[in-house]
Amino acid sequence: MAVTAPAALAAAPTRTLETGHVSDLPPAVEAIMHKPGYESAQWGVYEVDPSDGYVIHSQFARQSFVPGSDTKLVTLSAAWHSLGPGHRFTTPVYAAGTRHGSTLKGNLALVAQGDLTMGGRTKPDGSVDYTDIDHTSANDLPGATLTPENPLAGVDQIARQVREAGITRVQGDVVVDPRIFTPPELDPQPTPLIINDNLIDLLTTPTTAGHPAKLFWRPQVKPYSVDFKVQTVAAGGTTNIAVKASPDGTKITVSGQIAAGTQPVLRTSPVQDPNAFGRTALIEALGRAGVTVSARQTGPNPERKLPASYERDSRVAAYVSPPYRQYAKLILKVSHNLGANLALCNMAGLRGSKDCFAGGFGVERDFLTRVAHVDPTQFQLDDGRGGDATEKATPVGLAQVLAYWLRTPDATAFRLSLPILGVDGSNASSCTDCPARGKVFAKPGTVIGLDRLNGRLAVADQSQAGYLLTDDGHVVIFVELVNSATAPDIQGVMRIFDDTNQISALLQEEASAHL
């Protein structure tokens, strides 16, 4: 449902001051804000009816807060608009050399385009698959699971196309061309070629007590190997699994123990050289497709063998991605950090720039000022994901970005790309049986650090920003952030996460009763 919203919510009439604390929040919300752990915390709230700009709640709405992954609302809004929701990445492969029958005397060059998944999550219907807790979060959050798709699906498709083009032998090499952009100094670092999010998945399943556990790992590409040393202990015992890798990432050791009767535990190990990994993966895929390559399968990517251009070379294969709206949905649903950082590089390409920062933030600033009509100084951003406690956003600024979408044909598609309370994505596990279930569409944000002095965790941010759908179908924009909270452990952090979701639910119930 699209709702017409004012062009600038900042000019909207208000019934509360936006510069300080207000007392008209529901008592149940106020009670949450005064729970232990929030003694020194700062709460920001902004809730507005976009149909007329009427401000329902406003608490420190023009002050700057650490937004965490709510930064992705800005990044993905700019990328969705600038690239276009139907944009597809086409990753071509060129035969750089001469053909003699079915033999290529020369090199195959895969020209990486910054495709986030390279077919590794594409379902039969063309949509992009995800789980509520993504494998990219497996080392930080419990309960991460794998999607069933083959992470090498894209390179397998390319290899089959090469064979269908009549090539059965490459008397030369296979080279990944990564020149589309320079990987920026970000964590996680976006790279021109990405296979399986540049991760090796390591899934441990318990057997019976006293016996070795079982390992499933993927994608299996030379020279990567896994030394598995996990034992199954008695039910009720402690599960503790550690992962270590050699400096080049190719020799992985998984050790520890897992309790019998528990769910499988997923861990990941990073691919240190995505270009070398992708090159070997493609050579192996070519072999499976019936194409032999004379060069060594493993080793560094021989970028020096790339031509200056491909004007004289024939394209023999190409992988075409799902539309960008599917990538945006993945990134927003599971808070996909790599994809959000990659969006800066994708946007930089629109300006012909290899500099993800200058080009990407240039496009993002243009989007805010010229398209969304939002003052960009309401934000301080240095990445695409929102992983830095020095990044800032005002609740009003975030709300204005959300209001922009309600003026577009993609309003419903964008709203449905956000995690849905109690249903899917990052907010699936909260409020699974409350009245607001399925009626809150919001991007959560989290930034956690260590307070070594006091032996606790410092929660720089926990937030929610998105849309409330009232019981009669009316859309309301809301933003809530808490900065500088504390928690004794990770379970305490999860309680703060649940508190923000409970506030979202209470605001939805209040809006349903009064609007």
Side-chain angles (χ1 to χ4, degrees):
M1 178 176 76
V3 177
T4 302
L9 291 179
T14 65
R15 63 174 175 178
T16 60
L17 294 175
E18 296 181 6
T19 55
H21 184 78
V22 297
S23 60
D24 69 337
L25 287 168
V29 170
E30 290 278 8
I32 292 172
M33 292 178 172
H34 290 91
K35 289 171 61 175
Y38 301 128
E39 291 86 354
S40 300
Q42 295 83 45
W43 287 89
V45 179
Y46 191 64
E47 184 183 355
V48 60
D49 183 345
S51 65
D52 59 6
Y54 194 78
V55 175
I56 302 165
H57 295 299
S58 178
Q59 178 170 306
F60 304 119
R62 295 187 180 278
Q63 293 191 16
S64 290
F65 288 80
V66 177
S69 282
D70 280 338
T71 296
K72 293 181 176 73
L73 292 171
V74 184
T75 307
L76 270 296
S77 293
W80 184 314
H81 169 79
S82 303
L83 292 167
H87 176 79
R88 297 175 186 265
F89 299 90
T90 299
T91 302
V93 175
Y94 291 94
T98 58
R99 294 276 294 271
H100 298 273
S102 61
T103 297
L104 169 65
K105 289 190 175 182
N107 304 318
L108 285 177
L110 182 152
V111 185
Q113 298 294 306
D115 185 325
L116 177 58
T117 70
M118 280 297 293
R121 294 177 185 252
T122 305
K123 297 193 290 186
D125 65 1
S127 62
V128 172
D129 206 358
Y130 63 90
T131 59
D132 292 334
I133 304 178
D134 192 63
H135 79 140
T136 54
S137 300
N139 293 346
D140 301 313
L141 298 176
T145 55
L146 295 172
T147 58
E149 291 76 25
N150 176 11
L152 299 176
V155 292
D156 281 342
Q157 186 179 125
I158 284 172
R160 290 193 297 268
Q161 291 180 20
V162 171
R163 179 63 182 84
E164 290 166 2
I167 298 174
T168 61
R169 178 173 173 77
V170 178
Q171 194 172 323
D173 214 328
V174 172
V175 192
V176 171
D177 186 340
R179 295 177 291 186
I180 190 171
F181 65 78
T182 302
E185 292 298 323
L186 290 175
D187 181 21
Q189 184 179 56
T191 52
L193 181 65
I194 296 171
I195 296 175
N196 201 45
D197 299 311
N198 293 338
L199 295 173
I200 302 295
D201 296 319
L202 306 155
L203 186 67
T204 298
T205 301
T207 55
T208 56
H211 292 80
K214 292 182 180 179
L215 171 70
F216 169 76
W217 69 282
R218 70 176 198 184
Q220 296 191 17
V221 173
K222 294 178 181 178
Y224 283 75
S225 63
V226 180
D227 184 12
F228 188 66
K229 303 176 180 178
V230 179
Q231 290 291 117
T232 306
V233 298
T238 300
T239 294
N240 186 11
I241 298 174
V243 176
K244 293 183 179 180
S246 59
D248 66 356
T250 63
K251 294 178 176 59
I252 303 167
T253 300
V254 183
S255 59
Q257 63 185 40
I258 186 170
T262 58
Q263 291 296 312
V265 172
L266 181 63
R267 295 286 185 266
T268 61
S269 186
V271 171
Q272 299 289 0
D273 188 341
N275 295 329
F277 183 85
R279 171 186 175 271
T280 297
L282 181 52
I283 292 175
E284 292 180 345
L286 288 166
R288 292 191 293 270
V291 181
T292 61
V293 178
S294 63
R296 286 183 57 191
Q297 286 188 333
T298 60
N301 180 52
E303 193 173 335
R304 67 187 184 281
K305 296 181 179 181
L306 292 172
S309 72
Y310 299 97
E311 293 179 359
R312 299 181 180 181
D313 302 317
S314 60
R315 194 173 87 169
V316 294
Y319 175 75
V320 180
S321 77
Y324 191 75
R325 70 173 69 89
Q326 285 290 320
Y327 283 172
K329 182 177 182 179
L330 165 67
I331 295 166
L332 292 169
K333 285 289 187 185
V334 307
S335 206
H336 196 287
N337 291 325
L338 177 62
N341 282 343
L342 177 65
L344 292 174
C345 303
N346 296 148
M347 288 189 286
L350 297 174
R351 295 191 167 186
S353 173
K354 297 184 179 182
D355 186 329
C356 299
F357 291 142
F361 280 117
V363 172
E364 191 167 315
R365 185 178 178 85
D366 284 349
F367 164 77
L368 290 170
T369 56
R370 300 178 184 179
V371 179
H373 304 293
V374 177
D375 178 4
T377 63
Q378 294 186 97
F379 305 97
Q380 298 171 198
L381 306 178
D382 64 11
D383 65 9
R385 59 170 283 204
D388 194 332
T390 62
E391 294 182 284
K392 297 295 177 66
T394 68
V396 167
L398 290 169
Q400 289 175 339
V401 171
L402 291 164
Y404 153 78
W405 283 104
L406 299 181
R407 306 190 296 269
T408 73
D410 286 331
T412 299
F414 182 78
R415 174 164 58 84
L416 294 177
S417 295
L418 300 174
I420 303 174
L421 184 63
V423 176
D424 68 10
S426 303
N427 288 334
S429 62
S430 290
C431 204
T432 55
D433 59 357
C434 70
R437 179 183 183 273
K439 300 171 186 175
V440 179
F441 307 79
K443 180 73 194 72
T446 308
V447 178
I448 307 171
L450 293 175
D451 176 4
R452 298 184 190 278
L453 177 65
N454 298 295
R456 60 187 181 180
L457 295 177
V459 182
D461 168 68
Q462 186 60 65
S463 53
Q464 299 283 342
Y467 307 100
L468 308 173
L469 187 66
T470 65
D471 293 348
D472 63 359
H474 192 70
V475 172
V476 176
I477 295 170
F478 83 103
V479 178
E480 55 166 300
L481 310 98
V482 60
N483 284 185
S484 302
T486 61
D489 49 32
I490 192 63
Q491 287 75 29
V493 173
M494 295 306 297
R495 286 192 290 271
I496 294 173
F497 174 77
D498 286 338
D499 283 345
T500 60
N501 271 316
Q502 186 177 354
I503 289 174
S504 301
L506 290 168
L507 294 178
Q508 188 278 334
E509 294 176 36
E510 181 196 45
S512 294
H514 295 101
L515 290 182

